[in-house]
Amino acid sequence: MISLFGTGERTLHRLTGAIDQIVDRNLAGSVKLADINTRVQSVNARFNRLLAVKSAGRQGVDVDAELAAITAQVDNLTSDLRSYRDVYATPAQRDRLDEILRNLADYKSAVAWVGSMLGIDFASTVSFIEPFGEVFNRVQGELTSIVAETSKDAQGQAAEATRQAERTIRTFLYSAVAVMLGIALLAWLIGRYQQHLRISSEMLRQQVEARTAELRQANDDLAASADVLRQLGDAGLALTASLDLAEVHEALHQHLCGLIPMDAFGVARLSGDGRDIVFEHFVLNGRALPAFSRSARGGTEPAVRAMKLATEVVTVGDDVAAWITDVVGTIDGTQMRAAVWRPLVVSGKVLGLITVQSHDVDAYGPRTLEILRSACAYAAIAIANARSYRDLEATLSELRTAQDKLVQQEKMASLGRLVAGVAHEINTPLGVVLTAAGSLYGGVTDLRDAIAGGRLTRAALEQGIAEWADLATVVERNAVRTAALVKSFSAVAVDQVDSRALETDLSVLLSDVVTLFRPALDRAAIRLDFVVADALVVRTVGESLTDALTRVMANTIDHAFASDQGGHVILSATAASDGGAVITIADNGVGIPADALPHICDPFFTTARGSGHPGLGLHVAFNQVTQRLNGSLVVESTQGQGTRVTLRIPSLDS
């Protein structure tokens, strides 16, 4: 019996030791896992706070140090979670813990990416990190589930060990009925260990419940912070999406209503002379008030202090009530008890201020003020953009007015130059005509007087007739020249009414132009090479193209080569990729001086006015190509190396 009692005691000690081991092991594992879960939420909350502070444009925050600390915390969490997996986790839990470790690794990579992009594109950074809130919710759920499973498993194992102990006790009780003292001692030992088991189980349950409550609170705080960040992000997008100042004010009011408590809201700016603070937008209890001003000279005015010192001013109690009463008088709903005056600052410059006011004296705590500061950072940028756009619109309007005046002045100047050129060109032949006509009139008068006085001789008559014939020839020649000038002047203004685009074979058209100039080319000893593909058809106005080519060819023959020295001209045409054609007239002549090249298409510009050239040839050709044919005419030349004229002719629709 004594041997049986000893064996029973040893068995009981072994069972109770197993129970203690189960309880201690699972208690330690559950506490460690709960601690890891809490630290995971702490890391995420710290990162979200960093984003909120950064969105508010707060200075003095070492973002790189904060990100390095967060990365170090993630590394510690990863190490502790691996240790828990290797020591405490069941085989079924290891796969779930491996997934959590992968999520932490992804989060660490996301933190590193955010660190590189935080100062470049904040809105994209916030949208990139938002999905990790769901990742952390899953991580928390998995960790909480594992803690609960571990606790349940520990309780089950303890219960099974207890049942085994109870079975063993019953066995020894049946075997040692006669040994009452041993039974009593054994019962006392069992009671003591059962009490120890109950105490340990209760401690485990309380600790798990405490950790679970902490995790739940942390999760609630995290969810609230994420919602505030989302609303701030929406507010930033809404504010910066508009350049209308009134729309920016309204959007700011609407978004702040959903973020912080307020019964009055206002946006103000400093007047142009700096004497007044102008409240452009003020809403009291949902009712918009007309714009009003407050003197900027009052030292006790909270708005003045906020703008002049560029600092946030918080007022409570009677000061707030006195200010709003001074603005709107004593009416129902104006008894404000708390107010915040926040300056709008961009690049160190105060643009204005925002005020929010409430009936509740405790409305504006630290968390509410932090939200307001973040919203004001967005608002300052949006208001600065809207005001800049408004100023730009005014400037553009002034520029358009000035441009219209300049265009009108240039039109008048161009008209003056055209009239002067026309008058100069026509006055010369008309002067000759008038002089010749005067001489003719004088000769006829002399003839009449000679006939009347009987002094007319045959020799005098023949001499008079010869002089009159010469004068008539001069009159005719200069009249013809005047008519030619008038015809050239009429070609300066290209008439689009009669333009009809037809399918034109350029090989035929260019061949006709070459035939027209063949005698002049031969007389000047100029060799012409004609290169054009057969059946090169373009839909264009043939008359205008012929006129332009004729004037370019005439200009080349008249100006490109020195007298009696001959030269070489290449006329070529190729198809363009857009369905049109490129026509080139190149020569190896004397070229065009650099100072004259920019003006060769100007009306009445010529380097050979003494030879009777009015300076309209290239100008008319340029107008025909650019206005009637919708193409381009480009002249390239180097003095002493020749000239190239390129005409790009598109295919016209009609």
Side-chain angles (χ1 to χ4, degrees):
M1 182 64 68
I2 294 174
S3 176
L4 181 62
F5 178 79
T7 302
E9 184 178 20
R10 287 192 299 273
T11 303
L12 184 58
H13 274 290
R14 187 172 65 253
L15 291 172
T16 54
I19 294 172
D20 288 342
Q21 185 179 6
I22 292 170
V23 171
D24 292 340
R25 176 185 176 85
N26 285 280
L27 176 61
S30 298
V31 171
K32 184 169 184 178
L33 190 60
D35 179 68
I36 290 173
N37 199 2
T38 302
R39 287 161 58 199
V40 167
Q41 298 304 317
S42 176
V43 168
N44 193 39
R46 184 172 184 176
F47 187 65
N48 283 328
R49 284 196 299 274
L50 175 61
L51 292 180
V53 169
K54 185 64 178 175
S55 72
R58 294 278 299 278
Q59 303 296 323
V61 178
D62 191 341
V63 175
D64 293 335
E66 281 292 309
L67 291 174
I70 292 171
T71 303
Q73 288 180 340
V74 173
D75 290 336
N76 291 337
L77 285 171
T78 303
S79 176
D80 291 343
L81 195 58
R82 287 199 183 98
S83 176
Y84 174 86
R85 178 196 62 187
D86 298 335
V87 176
Y88 298 102
T90 65
Q93 294 172 346
R94 287 195 178 104
D95 291 338
R96 297 159 66 187
L97 291 172
D98 288 338
E99 178 62 24
I100 293 174
L101 286 170
R102 284 191 291 272
N103 287 331
L104 287 177
D106 291 341
Y107 185 76
K108 179 181 176 182
S109 299
V111 168
W113 183 87
V114 168
S116 65
M117 293 297 293
L118 199 56
I120 300 174
D121 190 350
F122 177 73
S124 299
T125 303
V126 171
S127 64
F128 173 81
I129 205 66
E130 283 178 356
F132 283 91
E134 298 179 3
V135 172
F136 268 87
N137 289 336
R138 293 198 301 271
V139 169
Q140 178 192 354
E142 286 292 323
L143 291 176
T144 304
S145 174
I146 293 173
V147 171
E149 291 173 7
T150 303
S151 175
K152 183 177 179 181
D153 184 64
Q155 292 176 359
Q157 293 181 25
E160 179 61 27
T162 302
R163 286 193 294 273
Q164 292 180 11
E166 289 174 352
R167 287 196 295 271
T168 303
I169 291 170
R170 285 196 298 271
T171 301
F172 283 101
L173 284 175
Y174 293 151
S175 303
V177 175
V179 190
M180 300 302 297
L181 184 59
I183 295 173
L185 181 59
L186 186 62
W188 179 78
L189 291 173
I190 292 173
R192 188 187 68 177
Y193 284 112
Q194 286 180 334
Q195 183 180 12
H196 177 69
L197 176 63
R198 286 195 297 272
I199 291 173
S200 298
S201 298
E202 181 63 21
M203 289 177 59
L204 175 62
R205 184 187 63 78
Q206 291 177 1
Q207 291 185 10
V208 170
E209 288 181 353
R211 292 293 187 185
T212 302
E214 292 176 0
L215 291 175
R216 186 178 297 110
Q217 182 61 41
N219 186 59
D220 292 342
D221 293 342
L222 179 63
S225 298
D227 185 61
V228 169
L229 283 175
R230 180 188 59 77
Q231 293 186 58
L232 283 173
D234 293 343
L237 291 174
L239 291 173
T240 54
S242 175
L243 291 173
D244 183 87
L245 198 57
E247 292 180 2
V248 171
H249 292 166
E250 185 61 32
L252 179 61
H253 176 236
Q254 294 298 328
H255 283 280
L256 280 180
C257 283
L259 289 169
I260 61 175
M262 63 180 187
D263 300 297
F265 166 81
V267 181
R269 62 172 175 83
L270 196 63
S271 64
D273 56 11
R275 296 180 179 180
D276 298 306
I277 297 177
V278 182
F279 283 83
E280 300 175 309
H281 185 88
F282 198 91
V283 178
L284 176 64
N285 296 321
R287 181 171 62 89
L289 301 183
F292 61 90
S293 300
R294 303 284 293 175
S295 174
R297 299 178 180 178
T300 60
E301 178 84 14
V304 176
R305 299 205 311 272
M307 291 188 70
K308 288 189 174 181
L309 300 178
T311 185
E312 182 179 272
V313 177
V314 180
T315 56
V316 294
D318 295 338
D319 291 341
V320 184
W323 188 89
I324 197 69
T325 301
D326 193 27
V327 171
V328 299
T330 303
I331 58 175
D332 292 340
T334 60
Q335 196 67 18
M336 301 298 167
R337 305 299 297 170
V340 182
W341 311 82
R342 179 74 186 174
L344 299 172
V345 182
V346 174
S347 299
K349 181 180 179 181
V350 178
L351 302 179
L353 65 82
I354 288 176
T355 180
V356 292
Q357 304 180 11
S358 174
H359 299 307
D360 183 4
V361 72
D362 299 321
Y364 303 116
R367 182 174 180 274
T368 304
L369 290 176
E370 196 65 35
I371 294 173
L372 177 61
R373 291 166 191 150
S374 300
C376 286
Y378 286 123
I381 296 173
I383 290 175
N385 291 340
R387 289 180 181 175
S388 297
Y389 180 75
R390 183 179 60 186
D391 296 341
L392 180 61
E393 282 288 314
T395 303
L396 285 176
S397 178
E398 294 176 359
L399 288 175
R400 292 189 188 99
T401 302
Q403 183 185 33
D404 292 341
K405 292 181 179 179
L406 288 174
V407 169
Q408 186 63 30
Q409 292 173 359
E410 181 61 25
K411 286 181 179 179
M412 296 303 295
S414 297
L415 180 60
R417 289 192 297 269
L418 180 63
V419 170
V422 170
H424 175 76
E425 294 298 328
I426 292 182
N427 278 340
T428 299
L430 282 181
V432 173
V433 169
L434 288 175
T435 301
S439 297
L440 279 173
Y441 180 77
V444 171
T445 301
D446 292 342
L447 176 63
R448 183 180 56 199
D449 292 342
I451 293 173
R455 300 188 304 274
L456 181 63
T457 64
R458 181 179 182 87
L461 179 60
E462 291 177 351
Q463 182 181 358
I465 292 173
E467 291 176 355
W468 300 335
D470 291 339
L471 290 173
T473 301
V474 171
V475 169
E476 180 185 16
R477 183 167 61 250
N478 283 276
V480 170
R481 181 182 176 190
T482 302
L485 286 172
V486 171
K487 183 178 180 182
S488 295
F489 298 152
S490 66
V492 171
V494 179
D495 186 8
Q496 298 283 351
V497 176
D498 296 332
S499 299
R500 287 193 308 137
L502 300 173
E503 298 291 338
T504 303
D505 189 336
L506 293 187
S507 62
V508 175
L509 185 146
L510 293 177
S511 179
D512 292 342
V513 171
V514 171
T515 301
L516 177 65
F517 283 95
R518 182 63 66 186
L521 292 168
D522 292 341
R523 284 194 302 271
I526 298 173
R527 180 168 59 89
L528 174 69
D529 289 340
F530 176 46
V531 182
V532 61
D534 292 336
L536 178 56
V537 178
V538 176
R539 188 175 183 84
T540 187
V541 181
E543 296 84 353
S544 296
L545 181 56
T546 300
D547 186 29
L549 288 171
T550 300
R551 294 179 185 275
V552 174
M553 285 293 297
N555 192 77
T556 300
I557 294 171
D558 291 339
H559 300 286
F561 306 102
S563 218
D564 299 329
Q565 290 187 359
H568 182 204
V569 176
I570 300 175
L571 173 61
S572 63
T574 58
S577 59
D578 60 357
V582 178
I583 302 172
T584 303
I585 302 172
D587 65 68
N588 63 345
V590 297
I592 302 172
D595 58 343
L597 187 60
H599 306 289
I600 58 173
C601 289
D602 293 348
F604 304 109
F605 179 83
T606 179
T607 58
R609 190 174 302 278
S611 302
H613 296 284
L616 291 173
L618 285 181
H619 177 68
V620 173
F622 181 84
N623 282 357
Q624 292 282 17
V625 173
T626 57
Q627 296 184 35
R628 180 170 289 185
L629 302 180
N630 295 334
S632 65
L633 186 150
V634 178
V635 181
E636 302 168 288
S637 181
T638 301
Q639 193 167 11
Q641 299 181 17
T643 302
R644 175 186 295 269
V645 181
T646 303
L647 290 74
R648 296 185 179 273
I649 309 300
S651 180
L652 301 179
D653 294 333
S654 60

